[in-house]
Amino acid sequence: MRVRHKPWADDYLKENDHIVVQDPKNYKGKWRELFGNDKPLHVEIGSGKGQFITGMAAQHPEYNFIGIELAKSIIVTAVEKAAEADLPNVRLLNENAADFRELFEENEVDSIYLNFSDPWPKNKHEKRRLTYKSFLEQYEAVLKDNGEVVFKTDNQKLFEYSLSSFSRYGMVLQEVKLDLHTENDPLNVKTEYEEKFSSRGYRIYRSVATFK
């Protein structure tokens, strides 16, 4: 999907630095100081337009949330949603999450969310998938003991690949849902893509995995 360029995005992100953290690498190991409390820290990679991260922050004031999104023209919508909701427990990062360890200290994160990540279907692009072993190494480094990786997708092949990747890495699958929406879970916060795909009749898959 082509995203329309927003020439005003840079200025908008700087004007909302109470939501969009500037120079986030400086807060490595200090995120709880930024939030001003010791609440558990939950992180979403690829927050898109922010429906999930703001919805989770509203539903769970007992947690702190950080959403990471690289595309400036997309994250501005997430900033607008966070500002409108006036949520004290959510921050956004306009960053490339290529290496989590540059942003978070060991044992600093409680949960990581991967929602509708790019499936990178070609075998030669396997290393770009966010459930590839090199990414799992990063998640393991920053997650606390029993910290969770929560993964949702509509792509069956990516889901199957990811379950296999988790298992090969030695992770423990705490939950596997092959048709999440049949349960009508009232606590399930949907992403924009999730609403779009489920309305077309696509299955939504979800897993929760932890490191041993």
Side-chain angles (χ1 to χ4, degrees), residues 75-137:
I75 197 174
V76 291
T77 303
V79 176
E80 290 171 347
K81 288 177 180 175
E84 182 178 356
D86 192 23
L87 298 165
N89 61 330
V90 63
R91 298 291 188 278
L92 299 172
L93 312 184
N94 182 216
E95 286 286 319
N96 183 348
D99 194 337
F100 240 47
R101 292 163 293 195
E102 294 181 352
L103 296 169
F104 303 99
E105 192 59 79
E106 291 184 7
N107 303 312
E108 190 173 20
V109 178
D110 293 86
S111 292
I112 292 172
Y113 300 95
L114 309 174
N115 291 320
F116 299 86
S117 309
D118 192 325
W120 293 106
K122 295 182 180 179
N123 290 335
K124 65 180 180 179
H125 292 150
E126 179 187 6
K127 293 182 179 180
R128 299 182 184 181
R129 298 171 191 161
L130 293 182
T131 52
Y132 183 68
K133 62 182 179 180
S134 61
F135 286 103
L136 300 183
E137 290 173 0

Side-chain angles (χ1 to χ4, degrees), residues 34-52:
L34 178 68
F35 283 101
N37 58 60
D38 292 323
K39 295 177 181 179
L41 183 62
H42 292 220
V43 180
E44 182 189 19
I45 303 176
S47 293
K49 296 180 180 179
Q51 181 167 300
F52 177 82

Side-chain angles (χ1 to χ4, degrees), residues 193-204:
Y193 278 117
E194 186 171 353
E195 289 184 341
K196 175 182 177 181
F197 293 138
S198 64
S199 69
R200 296 178 179 178
Y202 291 20
R203 284 189 182 188
I204 303 300

